[in-house]
Amino acid sequence: MKFIKADTYEELSKIAANIIASQVIMKPDCVLGLATGSSPLGTYANLAKMYEAGDLDFSNVTTVNLDEYAGLDGTHEQSYRYFMNRNLFSKINVDIEKTYVPNGIASDLVKEGLNYDELIQSLGGIDLQLLGIGVDGHIGFNEPDSVFVAETHPVKLDESTIEANARFFATKEDVPSQAITMGMRSIMQARKILLVANGKNKKAILERAINGPIDPMVPASILQLHSDVTVIFSEI
Ligand code: GLP
């Protein structure tokens, strides 16, 4: 695992965007696995700038997002589909038909998960997966559990996740209690993984994920088993 300590969030965002940009340049028809949360926002802004400057072309890129809240459709401002459209897809020349986010309003979320994994397989897997990390060690919405779950699946969100994400909603009660998330198989089969984490409150959990035992109670610790992971961390 490669660990990069950036001095500032701006530096973290630049390095992460450069890594994603090099993937797109090396393989213009790559499959990018994308993440939400506040940590990747600067990365997305930098990618949009590179596109505007004429340095990047996303027209042949396909994207698959990690997760979505259950019960929110893509027009809901806090849905992850809306987040991606607003912060990245509307700012670059990706074909919106080739951007995938799990469907949080599917009537059967288990089936939706299995279909999502089939879709990822049919695309040939993920070339580069961008991840954030939750304060409880979650990646995507794979919450601490007694097992690592392989499939894309519905999850009940932890209280700490609901509290952390409440800042985006009018009240804590508005945060959905369930979500659908890509499982560990699709994440771990990604050819490269890039994890971005910003803020002092991520330091302890990152330390446990990188150097502690591989334990489903710290979901990100599974990344120790992957051969090409880059972690970029900035405290400020
Ligand atoms: C949400 C997302 C995760 C993300 C996490 C951390 O819970 N489902 O994929 O990694 O937030 O976000 P932030 O970077 O805002 O701390």
Side-chain angles (χ1 to χ4, degrees), residues 90-139:
S90 62
K91 301 189 171 165
I92 58 175
N93 67 335
V94 71
D95 175 357
I96 199 77
E97 298 295 324
K98 291 197 294 191
T99 66
Y100 298 96
V101 180
N103 178 8
I105 55 164
S107 55
D108 183 342
L109 289 178
V110 173
K111 197 156 163 253
E112 167 67 13
L114 300 178
N115 291 343
Y116 202 69
D117 287 333
E118 264 176 36
L119 165 80
I120 294 170
Q121 286 300 317
S122 73
L123 294 169
I126 297 166
D127 289 296
L128 189 159
Q129 176 66 55
L130 178 64
L131 296 174
I133 184 170
V135 281
D136 60 0
H138 73 238
I139 50 177

Side-chain angles (χ1 to χ4, degrees), residues 9-204:
Y9 178 62
E10 286 66 35
E11 190 190 338
L12 172 155
S13 303
K14 241 183 219 168
I15 300 169
N18 283 338
I19 292 172
I20 297 172
S22 59
Q23 173 67 68
V24 173
I25 291 166
M26 296 285 284
K27 187 177 175 190
D29 62 348
C30 63
V31 177
L32 296 179
L34 298 177
T36 54
S38 50
S39 299
L41 278 173
T43 306
Y44 293 153
N46 277 293
L47 287 173
K49 259 192 231 155
M50 289 184 213
Y51 163 70
E52 273 165 37
D55 294 332
L56 274 184
D57 175 12
F58 291 88
S59 60
N60 291 311
V61 169
T62 302
T63 69
V64 286
N65 259 80
L66 282 168
D67 47 12
E68 180 59 282
Y69 286 113
L72 301 192
D73 77 16
T75 62
H76 191 288
E77 286 192 17
Q78 295 311 331
S79 73
Y80 285 165
R81 159 56 75 182
Y82 191 93
F83 174 104
M84 291 309 302
N85 288 353
R86 185 182 48 195
N87 295 304
L88 186 65
F89 301 153
S90 62
K91 301 189 171 165
I92 58 175
N93 67 335
V94 71
D95 175 357
I96 199 77
E97 298 295 324
K98 291 197 294 191
T99 66
Y100 298 96
V101 180
N103 178 8
I105 55 164
S107 55
D108 183 342
L109 289 178
V110 173
K111 197 156 163 253
E112 167 67 13
L114 300 178
N115 291 343
Y116 202 69
D117 287 333
E118 264 176 36
L119 165 80
I120 294 170
Q121 286 300 317
S122 73
L123 294 169
I126 297 166
D127 289 296
L128 189 159
Q129 176 66 55
L130 178 64
L131 296 174
I133 184 170
V135 281
D136 60 0
H138 73 238
I139 50 177
F141 267 136
N142 290 279
E143 296 282 29
D145 200 344
S146 53
V147 290
F148 291 112
V149 181
E151 293 79 25
T152 296
H153 60 286
V155 280
K156 191 178 167 308
L157 298 180
D158 277 11
E159 197 50 34
S160 68
T161 301
I162 292 176
E163 266 163 31
N165 292 356
R167 63 198 149 120
F168 301 113
F169 290 81
T171 70
K172 193 179 137 191
E173 287 62 44
D174 292 325
V175 184
S177 58
Q178 281 195 305
I180 176 166
T181 183
M182 198 187 281
M184 294 306 193
R185 186 189 298 125
S186 294
I187 294 174
M188 289 296 283
Q189 284 179 349
R191 289 177 268 283
K192 275 180 188 299
I193 294 181
L194 172 61
L195 187 151
V196 290
N198 173 237
K200 279 196 174 64
N201 63 339
K202 297 285 171 70
K203 199 174 176 178

